[in-house]
Amino acid sequence: MPILGHNILGIEVTKSPTPGGKVEVSLNPRIENLRLGELYLPTGRVKGIEVDVNYEVKYNPEVAKVNVKIRLFYLPKNKDAIDSILDEWEEKKVLPGDLVAEVVNFTTSELMPLLMTLAKEMRIPYPIPLPRVMVKGE
């Protein structure tokens, strides 16, 4: 099942004065916490997993740093797996691959427009490269 909802909890952008040149950008989504949650839908209450994610954009050299904290409501394919996922997280901090893939893909696609806008407004490099048009010699 998909992610049924999300809530941005915080945004932090810091800009550092550094010399120009080539800048490398890395995107680092990190799952920080899981807990049992409920979502109220028109059809009734749905139990699922609340996932806290810290999405960090790092620049090298450090021209800026961006952190976005977001909470997602994840509903696994098998609703009976909610307890086992939470138990595994509490005991070993291990997550199923499909949960990690779903969370990372969702947060990246959901936050990228915001990250692009923040980069434009703060005048820092974009987190992903923009397509460029090249004119070939005649």
Side-chain angles (χ1 to χ4, degrees), residues 19-73:
K22 184 173 170 76
V23 176
E24 294 178 13
V25 181
S26 63
L27 305 174
N28 303 306
R30 189 175 64 248
I31 296 173
E32 294 187 328
N33 193 26
L34 265 65
R35 69 176 155 271
L36 183 64
E38 287 185 342
L39 188 64
Y40 296 95
L41 299 174
T43 57
R45 290 188 312 185
V46 176
K47 289 189 183 224
I49 300 172
E50 288 184 355
V51 183
D52 291 338
V53 180
N54 182 31
Y55 202 96
E56 186 175 37
V57 181
K58 290 184 180 179
Y59 294 86
N60 186 20
E62 195 171 311
V63 295
K65 191 173 181 181
V66 180
N67 276 313
V68 179
K69 293 191 183 293
I70 186 170
R71 181 170 293 149
L72 309 172
F73 187 83

Side-chain angles (χ1 to χ4, degrees), residues 8-23:
I8 294 177
L9 303 174
I11 301 170
E12 181 183 354
V13 182
T14 55
K15 183 177 172 180
S16 308
T18 58
K22 184 173 170 76
V23 176

